[in-house]
Amino acid sequence: MSSIKISPSMLSADFSCLKGSLKKIKDAEMLHLDVMDGHFVPNITFGPCVIKSIRHLTNMTFDAHLMISEPDKYLEDFVDSGVDIITIHRESYDTIEDMKSTVKSIKELGVRSGISINPATPFEEVKEVVGSVDLLLIMTVKPGFGGQTFMKEVVPKIKEASEFIEEHGYDTEISVDGGVSPETAPMVVEAGADILVAGSAIFKGAPEENIRRLRDAVKYRF
Ligand code: DX5
Ligand code: ZN
């Protein structure tokens, strides 16, 4: 079993001082960047130019979680902004073939690829692609906002995905996003998650201490 990675969600950071926020989370392995377009989800956040402006501040792996309707239009801009992983949503596409074609484009652009599913979307919807991507992002809240309550009913889906990945010998990592905290993280990790995305549980209060608490909550996996 590999170590659990912590991926703070910048959505909950202090936007007036991103440099300072990044310093406080330097012990985390990744940075989760929630890109929202006000169309795919009812909220608007930031795009490639903001990401580009903070790229030089840290060596953390940047994962862009694209909650947008037409990701294909912006792939090059995100690559140019310096992200390491581009994660697209299954629900942004009518057909799995369309999503597969975007996954192919992401790879051709030389970055890692991720796919995400909403709480209501069954694992079945991405099963045939999961072996050819680097990351499966399982949402445990309805996408759009930070600070929502963790949806426990999604845990069996994490387990289903993890077992499928293991059975097939894929090296796809499972990331879980939404309401992850020291209280909910153990069940997420127990179900097979490799990466914990957390916004409010990290940025509310002291991020350094909160990262430590999150790691401690799942430390039997380290
Ligand atoms: C929700 C975003 C999440 C969010 C998580 O649409 O994808 O990444 O920032 O925030 P918390 O951890 O507060 O639920
Ligand atoms: Zn996210």
Side-chain angles (χ1 to χ4, degrees):
M1 272 184 185
S2 55
S3 300
I4 301 299
K5 293 177 189 159
I6 308 279
S7 187
S9 166
M10 201 175 84
L11 189 59
S12 300
D14 177 358
F15 277 45
S16 72
C17 184
L18 288 176
K19 193 174 184 175
S21 294
L22 288 179
K23 264 194 198 146
K24 292 180 187 162
I25 55 159
K26 62 175 180 357
D27 292 339
E29 288 78 12
M30 298 172 71
L31 183 67
H32 184 86
L33 298 149
D34 286 307
V35 178
M36 305 186 191
D37 66 353
H39 185 257
F40 180 76
V41 286
N43 194 8
I44 299 178
T45 55
F46 50 81
C49 55
V50 171
I51 299 175
K52 195 171 191 168
S53 72
I54 59 165
R55 179 64 276 193
H56 70 284
L57 298 171
T58 169
N59 288 325
M60 264 188 275
T61 301
F62 277 20
D63 177 19
H65 176 193
L66 303 190
M67 288 162 275
I68 62 178
S69 292
E70 294 183 277
D72 301 68
K73 280 191 182 169
Y74 308 99
L75 297 181
E76 285 180 27
D77 294 337
F78 282 104
V79 171
D80 184 51
S81 76
V83 302
D84 302 286
I85 309 172
I86 295 182
T87 297
I88 52 171
H89 260 267
R90 172 65 185 91
E91 299 82 9
S92 295
Y93 299 89
D94 289 335
T95 69
I96 188 113
E97 293 311 320
D98 291 343
M99 189 182 76
K100 276 186 188 167
S101 138
T102 307
V103 166
K104 190 166 171 265
S105 306
I106 293 172
K107 289 181 181 176
E108 282 168 3
L109 287 165
V111 295
R112 284 182 264 160
S113 60
I115 50 174
S116 182
I117 44 175
N118 284 345
T121 304
F123 173 60
E124 198 68 36
E125 288 285 327
V126 289
K127 218 173 190 172
E128 63 176 276
V129 215
V130 87
S132 51
V133 293
D134 300 283
L135 187 94
L136 171 65
L137 180 68
I138 298 181
M139 296 301 300
T140 40
V141 296
K142 247 172 104 178
F145 301 91
Q148 302 181 75
T149 305
F150 179 80
M151 294 170 69
K152 260 217 290 287
E153 59 271 35
V154 181
V155 173
K157 185 163 71 179
I158 303 171
K159 192 154 189 271
E160 183 191 356
S162 164
E163 286 172 356
F164 181 83
I165 289 167
E166 199 162 326
E167 265 167 37
H168 289 79
Y170 298 142
D171 48 20
T172 314
E173 289 187 296
I174 297 180
S175 181
V176 173
D177 184 9
V180 174
S181 68
E183 289 69 43
T184 58
M187 61 181 129
V188 165
V189 169
E190 194 58 49
D194 306 288
I195 300 166
L196 299 174
V197 175
S200 33
I202 288 180
F203 286 104
K204 233 193 212 165
E208 298 94 331
E209 174 60 20
N210 290 338
I211 290 175
R212 220 173 302 133
R213 286 186 58 223
L214 202 49
R215 279 198 207 282
D216 278 354
V218 297
K219 69 170 169 247
Y220 56 91
R221 279 279 302 250
F222 283 90

